[in-house]
Amino acid sequence: MKLPSISVGSSVIGEPSTLKGVGYMLVATFFAGCMIVLIRHISFDMHPIEIAFFRAFFGFVVFLPLFMRQGFAPLRTKRLGLHMFRGVMTTLTMIGTFTALSLIPAAKVVAIKFSGPLFAALIAMLVMGEVLRMRRFVAMLIGFAGTLVIMGTNFTEFDLGSTMALASSVFWAMMFVSVKVLSRTESSVTITIYMSLITFPILGLIAIPYWQMPTFEQLGLMLLLGALGSLVHICAAQALKNADVSVISPMDFCKLIWVSILGFLAFGEIPTTETWIGAMMIFGSVSYIAYRERKVKPKGVKDDPTAPTRLTE
C-alpha cells in the first residue's frame, strides 16, 4: 500500500528525494552533536580559544588543494570589507561557542544557540528592511521567552557560559545576514575561502597568551574535529539539494537529542527541564518563522544555498 504524501513548500514528504534530504540532515545533526561534545571534552585540558584556532586552521587546510587547482581566481572580489566583517563575526561566534562549551553543559549551549535565527530575523528587519509581520513578531517573542527560560529569569543568576552562548548567537546572526548580502554577488567558494583566510590568523593572534603545545592525542582529536565539521557541511548541503529548508530545518532539533545522549555518556550530564522547555519554545518559533517565510516567498525563488548552516561554526 502506498503511503500518503504531504506537501511542504516545493518538497513532498514521502518522495524518495525528500526522504533522502531528511536522512542527510539527520546524519548532519549527529556529526554536529559529536563535534560539540568533542569540543567540550578537549576544553577540559586546552583553552577554548586555542581549540577554536585549530578548528579554523584545519578548516583552512581543506581549501589548499582548491588554491593549487584554481589559483587566486576565487579571491577576486569587490566586497573585501564585508568579507572582513563576516570573518570577524565568525571569529567571535567561535570564541563564544567554544568558551561556553568549556563552562556549561553542551546541551544547554545548543539550546541557547537555537536563538540565532531569531536574532538574524531581527537584524534583517533592522538592516535590510525586511517586513516583520504580526505572526512573525509573536513567534519571535515566544522564542526569546524560551531563551530566558533556559538561562533563568533572574538576571543576577546569569552565568558566564550562558552569556557567551547567547553572545555567540548574536554574532552568528550578524554573520548570517552578512553572508545573505554577500551571496548576491559572490560565489559560495569565494565566501567560504575568505572566511577561512580571515578567521584562523585572527584566532592565532588571540590564542598566543593561552598557548600550550598540544599533545599528539590532542592534535588527533582536533583533526577529527575538523573532519566532523567538514562532514556536517557536506551532509547539510546534500540535504538542501534534496529537500526544502522548510522540510529539513525542524530536523536541527535532533542535534539537542544527540548532544543530550552523548553528553550523558561522556560526562554524565543530564539536561534540565528548563533546557528542554526553552529549547522547544525557541525551536518551535524558529520553525514557524521559516515556514511563514516559505509561504510568503514568491514562486520560483529558491532557498539560498550559500547561507551558513547553524549546525556548526
Side-chain angles (χ1 to χ4, degrees), residues 6-13 15 17-18 240-247 291 294-295 297-303:
I6 303 173
S7 295
V8 180
S10 60
S11 295
V12 179
I13 299 175
E15 285 189 350
S17 178
T18 303
L240 283 170
K241 287 182 179 180
N242 286 275
D244 287 347
V245 172
S246 54
V247 174
Y291 171 75
R294 182 68 193 181
K295 291 282 286 185
K297 185 182 292 185
K299 290 185 177 180
V301 178
K302 295 183 179 180
D303 295 309

PDB file of all heavy atoms in Angstrom, residues 6-13 15 17-18 240-247 291 294-295 297-303:
ATOM      1  N   ILE A   6       2.632  14.333   1.809  1.00  0.00           N
ATOM      2  CA  ILE A   6       2.271  15.639   2.348  1.00  0.00           C
ATOM      3  C   ILE A   6       3.185  16.679   1.728  1.00  0.00           C
ATOM      4  O   ILE A   6       4.408  16.530   1.763  1.00  0.00           O
ATOM      5  CB  ILE A   6       2.395  15.673   3.888  1.00  0.00           C
ATOM      6  CG1 ILE A   6       1.537  14.580   4.514  1.00  0.00           C
ATOM      7  CG2 ILE A   6       2.016  17.040   4.427  1.00  0.00           C
ATOM      8  CD1 ILE A   6       1.729  14.452   6.005  1.00  0.00           C
ATOM      9  N   SER A   7       2.629  17.726   1.146  1.00  0.00           N
ATOM     10  CA  SER A   7       3.421  18.761   0.507  1.00  0.00           C
ATOM     11  C   SER A   7       3.835  19.817   1.522  1.00  0.00           C
ATOM     12  O   SER A   7       3.022  20.289   2.305  1.00  0.00           O
ATOM     13  CB  SER A   7       2.628  19.435  -0.629  1.00  0.00           C
ATOM     14  OG  SER A   7       2.367  18.503  -1.652  1.00  0.00           O
ATOM     15  N   VAL A   8       5.130  20.179   1.505  1.00  0.00           N
ATOM     16  CA  VAL A   8       5.657  21.273   2.312  1.00  0.00           C
ATOM     17  C   VAL A   8       6.559  22.081   1.406  1.00  0.00           C
ATOM     18  O   VAL A   8       7.616  21.608   0.993  1.00  0.00           O
ATOM     19  CB  VAL A   8       6.462  20.763   3.533  1.00  0.00           C
ATOM     20  CG1 VAL A   8       6.979  21.946   4.328  1.00  0.00           C
ATOM     21  CG2 VAL A   8       5.605  19.871   4.404  1.00  0.00           C
ATOM     22  N   GLY A   9       6.154  23.329   1.085  1.00  0.00           N
ATOM     23  CA  GLY A   9       6.915  24.104   0.120  1.00  0.00           C
ATOM     24  C   GLY A   9       6.821  23.423  -1.229  1.00  0.00           C
ATOM     25  O   GLY A   9       5.764  23.038  -1.693  1.00  0.00           O
ATOM     26  N   SER A  10       7.973  23.227  -1.896  1.00  0.00           N
ATOM     27  CA  SER A  10       8.002  22.535  -3.166  1.00  0.00           C
ATOM     28  C   SER A  10       8.404  21.085  -2.997  1.00  0.00           C
ATOM     29  O   SER A  10       8.501  20.340  -3.955  1.00  0.00           O
ATOM     30  CB  SER A  10       8.987  23.238  -4.123  1.00  0.00           C
ATOM     31  OG  SER A  10      10.288  23.236  -3.573  1.00  0.00           O
ATOM     32  N   SER A  11       8.658  20.661  -1.740  1.00  0.00           N
ATOM     33  CA  SER A  11       9.012  19.282  -1.457  1.00  0.00           C
ATOM     34  C   SER A  11       7.787  18.509  -1.031  1.00  0.00           C
ATOM     35  O   SER A  11       6.848  19.061  -0.461  1.00  0.00           O
ATOM     36  CB  SER A  11      10.075  19.207  -0.346  1.00  0.00           C
ATOM     37  OG  SER A  11      11.284  19.794  -0.768  1.00  0.00           O
ATOM     38  N   VAL A  12       7.794  17.230  -1.297  1.00  0.00           N
ATOM     39  CA  VAL A  12       6.706  16.361  -0.888  1.00  0.00           C
ATOM     40  C   VAL A  12       7.258  15.303   0.046  1.00  0.00           C
ATOM     41  O   VAL A  12       8.112  14.505  -0.335  1.00  0.00           O
ATOM     42  CB  VAL A  12       6.033  15.688  -2.101  1.00  0.00           C
ATOM     43  CG1 VAL A  12       4.922  14.758  -1.640  1.00  0.00           C
ATOM     44  CG2 VAL A  12       5.488  16.739  -3.051  1.00  0.00           C
ATOM     45  N   ILE A  13       6.782  15.338   1.300  1.00  0.00           N
ATOM     46  CA  ILE A  13       7.229  14.358   2.278  1.00  0.00           C
ATOM     47  C   ILE A  13       6.707  12.991   1.858  1.00  0.00           C
ATOM     48  O   ILE A  13       5.516  12.796   1.674  1.00  0.00           O
ATOM     49  CB  ILE A  13       6.732  14.719   3.694  1.00  0.00           C
ATOM     50  CG1 ILE A  13       7.285  16.076   4.111  1.00  0.00           C
ATOM     51  CG2 ILE A  13       7.134  13.651   4.708  1.00  0.00           C
ATOM     52  CD1 ILE A  13       6.769  16.579   5.427  1.00  0.00           C
ATOM     53  N   GLU A  15       8.330  11.436  -0.792  1.00  0.00           N
ATOM     54  CA  GLU A  15       9.075  11.216  -2.010  1.00  0.00           C
ATOM     55  C   GLU A  15      10.501  10.799  -1.662  1.00  0.00           C
ATOM     56  O   GLU A  15      11.066  11.260  -0.666  1.00  0.00           O
ATOM     57  CB  GLU A  15       9.105  12.498  -2.857  1.00  0.00           C
ATOM     58  CG  GLU A  15       7.797  12.787  -3.572  1.00  0.00           C
ATOM     59  CD  GLU A  15       7.944  13.934  -4.556  1.00  0.00           C
ATOM     60  OE1 GLU A  15       9.002  14.604  -4.516  1.00  0.00           O
ATOM     61  OE2 GLU A  15       7.023  14.148  -5.352  1.00  0.00           O
ATOM     62  N   SER A  17      13.402  11.626  -2.847  1.00  0.00           N
ATOM     63  CA  SER A  17      14.355  12.729  -2.744  1.00  0.00           C
ATOM     64  C   SER A  17      14.227  13.458  -1.414  1.00  0.00           C
ATOM     65  O   SER A  17      15.229  13.761  -0.753  1.00  0.00           O
ATOM     66  CB  SER A  17      14.133  13.713  -3.895  1.00  0.00           C
ATOM     67  OG  SER A  17      15.014  14.817  -3.786  1.00  0.00           O
ATOM     68  N   THR A  18      12.993  13.727  -0.994  1.00  0.00           N
ATOM     69  CA  THR A  18      12.772  14.421   0.268  1.00  0.00           C
ATOM     70  C   THR A  18      13.210  13.580   1.456  1.00  0.00           C
ATOM     71  O   THR A  18      13.843  14.073   2.392  1.00  0.00           O
ATOM     72  CB  THR A  18      11.283  14.796   0.423  1.00  0.00           C
ATOM     73  OG1 THR A  18      10.880  15.590  -0.691  1.00  0.00           O
ATOM     74  CG2 THR A  18      11.044  15.563   1.707  1.00  0.00           C
ATOM     75  N   LEU A 240      20.066  20.008   1.576  1.00  0.00           N
ATOM     76  CA  LEU A 240      19.428  21.142   0.912  1.00  0.00           C
ATOM     77  C   LEU A 240      19.181  20.867  -0.567  1.00  0.00           C
ATOM     78  O   LEU A 240      18.254  21.417  -1.155  1.00  0.00           O
ATOM     79  CB  LEU A 240      20.299  22.388   1.065  1.00  0.00           C
ATOM     80  CG  LEU A 240      20.241  23.083   2.435  1.00  0.00           C
ATOM     81  CD1 LEU A 240      21.323  24.144   2.515  1.00  0.00           C
ATOM     82  CD2 LEU A 240      18.880  23.708   2.653  1.00  0.00           C
ATOM     83  N   LYS A 241      20.018  20.033  -1.168  1.00  0.00           N
ATOM     84  CA  LYS A 241      19.836  19.692  -2.572  1.00  0.00           C
ATOM     85  C   LYS A 241      18.613  18.799  -2.780  1.00  0.00           C
ATOM     86  O   LYS A 241      18.003  18.804  -3.844  1.00  0.00           O
ATOM     87  CB  LYS A 241      21.070  18.983  -3.122  1.00  0.00           C
ATOM     88  CG  LYS A 241      22.270  19.886  -3.347  1.00  0.00           C
ATOM     89  CD  LYS A 241      23.426  19.104  -3.943  1.00  0.00           C
ATOM     90  CE  LYS A 241      24.633  20.012  -4.188  1.00  0.00           C
ATOM     91  NZ  LYS A 241      25.769  19.265  -4.776  1.00  0.00           N
ATOM     92  N   ASN A 242      18.278  18.012  -1.761  1.00  0.00           N
ATOM     93  CA  ASN A 242      17.212  17.032  -1.898  1.00  0.00           C
ATOM     94  C   ASN A 242      15.869  17.484  -1.339  1.00  0.00           C
ATOM     95  O   ASN A 242      14.834  16.914  -1.689  1.00  0.00           O
ATOM     96  CB  ASN A 242      17.618  15.718  -1.205  1.00  0.00           C
ATOM     97  CG  ASN A 242      18.664  14.951  -1.988  1.00  0.00           C
ATOM     98  OD1 ASN A 242      18.370  14.195  -2.897  1.00  0.00           O
ATOM     99  ND2 ASN A 242      19.935  15.164  -1.632  1.00  0.00           N
ATOM    100  N   ALA A 243      15.876  18.485  -0.454  1.00  0.00           N
ATOM    101  CA  ALA A 243      14.621  18.912   0.169  1.00  0.00           C
ATOM    102  C   ALA A 243      14.679  20.391   0.519  1.00  0.00           C
ATOM    103  O   ALA A 243      15.763  20.962   0.664  1.00  0.00           O
ATOM    104  CB  ALA A 243      14.340  18.077   1.416  1.00  0.00           C
ATOM    105  N   ASP A 244      13.507  21.006   0.663  1.00  0.00           N
ATOM    106  CA  ASP A 244      13.425  22.423   1.028  1.00  0.00           C
ATOM    107  C   ASP A 244      13.882  22.649   2.463  1.00  0.00           C
ATOM    108  O   ASP A 244      13.806  21.756   3.314  1.00  0.00           O
ATOM    109  CB  ASP A 244      11.979  22.921   0.899  1.00  0.00           C
ATOM    110  CG  ASP A 244      11.552  23.078  -0.551  1.00  0.00           C
ATOM    111  OD1 ASP A 244      12.440  23.044  -1.422  1.00  0.00           O
ATOM    112  OD2 ASP A 244      10.348  23.217  -0.809  1.00  0.00           O
ATOM    113  N   VAL A 245      14.303  23.887   2.718  1.00  0.00           N
ATOM    114  CA  VAL A 245      14.694  24.277   4.075  1.00  0.00           C
ATOM    115  C   VAL A 245      13.547  24.075   5.054  1.00  0.00           C
ATOM    116  O   VAL A 245      13.742  23.649   6.196  1.00  0.00           O
ATOM    117  CB  VAL A 245      15.162  25.748   4.091  1.00  0.00           C
ATOM    118  CG1 VAL A 245      15.389  26.225   5.525  1.00  0.00           C
ATOM    119  CG2 VAL A 245      16.438  25.913   3.290  1.00  0.00           C
ATOM    120  N   SER A 246      12.329  24.371   4.616  1.00  0.00           N
ATOM    121  CA  SER A 246      11.160  24.243   5.491  1.00  0.00           C
ATOM    122  C   SER A 246      10.912  22.802   5.918  1.00  0.00           C
ATOM    123  O   SER A 246      10.270  22.549   6.937  1.00  0.00           O
ATOM    124  CB  SER A 246       9.914  24.781   4.789  1.00  0.00           C
ATOM    125  OG  SER A 246       9.735  24.167   3.529  1.00  0.00           O
ATOM    126  N   VAL A 247      11.451  21.844   5.147  1.00  0.00           N
ATOM    127  CA  VAL A 247      11.293  20.422   5.494  1.00  0.00           C
ATOM    128  C   VAL A 247      12.402  19.955   6.424  1.00  0.00           C
ATOM    129  O   VAL A 247      12.153  19.282   7.419  1.00  0.00           O
ATOM    130  CB  VAL A 247      11.277  19.545   4.224  1.00  0.00           C
ATOM    131  CG1 VAL A 247      11.265  18.061   4.590  1.00  0.00           C
ATOM    132  CG2 VAL A 247      10.060  19.868   3.377  1.00  0.00           C
ATOM    133  N   TYR A 291       8.729  28.512   8.167  1.00  0.00           N
ATOM    134  CA  TYR A 291       7.554  28.073   7.405  1.00  0.00           C
ATOM    135  C   TYR A 291       6.829  29.269   6.800  1.00  0.00           C
ATOM    136  O   TYR A 291       6.447  29.247   5.622  1.00  0.00           O
ATOM    137  CB  TYR A 291       6.617  27.292   8.321  1.00  0.00           C
ATOM    138  CG  TYR A 291       5.273  26.976   7.698  1.00  0.00           C
ATOM    139  CD1 TYR A 291       5.150  25.976   6.733  1.00  0.00           C
ATOM    140  CD2 TYR A 291       4.131  27.692   8.077  1.00  0.00           C
ATOM    141  CE1 TYR A 291       3.908  25.700   6.156  1.00  0.00           C
ATOM    142  CE2 TYR A 291       2.897  27.420   7.509  1.00  0.00           C
ATOM    143  CZ  TYR A 291       2.789  26.418   6.553  1.00  0.00           C
ATOM    144  OH  TYR A 291       1.580  26.150   5.982  1.00  0.00           O
ATOM    145  N   ARG A 294       8.649  30.719   3.891  1.00  0.00           N
ATOM    146  CA  ARG A 294       8.477  29.892   2.701  1.00  0.00           C
ATOM    147  C   ARG A 294       7.112  30.145   2.071  1.00  0.00           C
ATOM    148  O   ARG A 294       6.979  30.176   0.849  1.00  0.00           O
ATOM    149  CB  ARG A 294       8.603  28.410   3.092  1.00  0.00           C
ATOM    150  CG  ARG A 294       8.480  27.451   1.919  1.00  0.00           C
ATOM    151  CD  ARG A 294       9.649  27.578   0.980  1.00  0.00           C
ATOM    152  NE  ARG A 294       9.403  26.903  -0.278  1.00  0.00           N
ATOM    153  CZ  ARG A 294      10.256  26.834  -1.284  1.00  0.00           C
ATOM    154  NH1 ARG A 294      11.438  27.408  -1.159  1.00  0.00           N
ATOM    155  NH2 ARG A 294       9.950  26.209  -2.398  1.00  0.00           N
ATOM    156  N   LYS A 295       6.102  30.382   2.899  1.00  0.00           N
ATOM    157  CA  LYS A 295       4.748  30.602   2.398  1.00  0.00           C
ATOM    158  C   LYS A 295       4.642  31.918   1.634  1.00  0.00           C
ATOM    159  O   LYS A 295       3.948  32.009   0.617  1.00  0.00           O
ATOM    160  CB  LYS A 295       3.742  30.595   3.552  1.00  0.00           C
ATOM    161  CG  LYS A 295       3.543  29.225   4.190  1.00  0.00           C
ATOM    162  CD  LYS A 295       2.650  28.323   3.361  1.00  0.00           C
ATOM    163  CE  LYS A 295       1.207  28.757   3.453  1.00  0.00           C
ATOM    164  NZ  LYS A 295       0.315  27.816   2.738  1.00  0.00           N
ATOM    165  N   LYS A 297       7.198  33.602   0.286  1.00  0.00           N
ATOM    166  CA  LYS A 297       8.227  33.771  -0.737  1.00  0.00           C
ATOM    167  C   LYS A 297       7.614  33.628  -2.120  1.00  0.00           C
ATOM    168  O   LYS A 297       6.843  32.702  -2.358  1.00  0.00           O
ATOM    169  CB  LYS A 297       9.327  32.724  -0.543  1.00  0.00           C
ATOM    170  CG  LYS A 297      10.507  32.888  -1.501  1.00  0.00           C
ATOM    171  CD  LYS A 297      11.535  31.785  -1.284  1.00  0.00           C
ATOM    172  CE  LYS A 297      12.206  31.923   0.055  1.00  0.00           C
ATOM    173  NZ  LYS A 297      13.282  30.923   0.225  1.00  0.00           N
ATOM    174  N   PRO A 298       7.945  34.512  -3.054  1.00  0.00           N
ATOM    175  CA  PRO A 298       7.392  34.421  -4.399  1.00  0.00           C
ATOM    176  C   PRO A 298       7.736  33.089  -5.054  1.00  0.00           C
ATOM    177  O   PRO A 298       8.804  32.534  -4.820  1.00  0.00           O
ATOM    178  CB  PRO A 298       8.071  35.595  -5.144  1.00  0.00           C
ATOM    179  CG  PRO A 298       8.489  36.544  -4.076  1.00  0.00           C
ATOM    180  CD  PRO A 298       8.811  35.689  -2.889  1.00  0.00           C
ATOM    181  N   LYS A 299       6.828  32.585  -5.877  1.00  0.00           N
ATOM    182  CA  LYS A 299       7.061  31.331  -6.571  1.00  0.00           C
ATOM    183  C   LYS A 299       8.253  31.470  -7.513  1.00  0.00           C
ATOM    184  O   LYS A 299       8.433  32.474  -8.179  1.00  0.00           O
ATOM    185  CB  LYS A 299       5.821  30.915  -7.365  1.00  0.00           C
ATOM    186  CG  LYS A 299       4.656  30.491  -6.481  1.00  0.00           C
ATOM    187  CD  LYS A 299       3.494  29.981  -7.323  1.00  0.00           C
ATOM    188  CE  LYS A 299       2.352  29.495  -6.429  1.00  0.00           C
ATOM    189  NZ  LYS A 299       1.212  28.989  -7.233  1.00  0.00           N
ATOM    190  N   GLY A 300       9.046  30.407  -7.552  1.00  0.00           N
ATOM    191  CA  GLY A 300      10.211  30.406  -8.430  1.00  0.00           C
ATOM    192  C   GLY A 300      11.484  30.856  -7.742  1.00  0.00           C
ATOM    193  O   GLY A 300      12.581  30.703  -8.262  1.00  0.00           O
ATOM    194  N   VAL A 301      11.339  31.445  -6.529  1.00  0.00           N
ATOM    195  CA  VAL A 301      12.514  31.865  -5.770  1.00  0.00           C
ATOM    196  C   VAL A 301      12.970  30.711  -4.898  1.00  0.00           C
ATOM    197  O   VAL A 301      12.244  30.232  -4.041  1.00  0.00           O
ATOM    198  CB  VAL A 301      12.196  33.101  -4.881  1.00  0.00           C
ATOM    199  CG1 VAL A 301      13.411  33.485  -4.073  1.00  0.00           C
ATOM    200  CG2 VAL A 301      11.734  34.257  -5.743  1.00  0.00           C
ATOM    201  N   LYS A 302      14.198  30.270  -5.107  1.00  0.00           N
ATOM    202  CA  LYS A 302      14.713  29.109  -4.385  1.00  0.00           C
ATOM    203  C   LYS A 302      15.391  29.536  -3.093  1.00  0.00           C
ATOM    204  O   LYS A 302      15.768  30.689  -2.904  1.00  0.00           O
ATOM    205  CB  LYS A 302      15.715  28.339  -5.263  1.00  0.00           C
ATOM    206  CG  LYS A 302      15.083  27.731  -6.505  1.00  0.00           C
ATOM    207  CD  LYS A 302      16.117  26.940  -7.276  1.00  0.00           C
ATOM    208  CE  LYS A 302      15.502  26.282  -8.518  1.00  0.00           C
ATOM    209  NZ  LYS A 302      16.496  25.512  -9.293  1.00  0.00           N
ATOM    210  N   ASP A 303      15.549  28.568  -2.191  1.00  0.00           N
ATOM    211  CA  ASP A 303      16.264  28.830  -0.956  1.00  0.00           C
ATOM    212  C   ASP A 303      17.715  29.121  -1.268  1.00  0.00           C
ATOM    213  O   ASP A 303      18.291  28.595  -2.221  1.00  0.00           O
ATOM    214  CB  ASP A 303      16.165  27.618  -0.021  1.00  0.00           C
ATOM    215  CG  ASP A 303      14.742  27.360   0.422  1.00  0.00           C
ATOM    216  OD1 ASP A 303      14.095  28.310   0.891  1.00  0.00           O
ATOM    217  OD2 ASP A 303      14.278  26.219   0.289  1.00  0.00           O
TER     218      ASP A 303
END
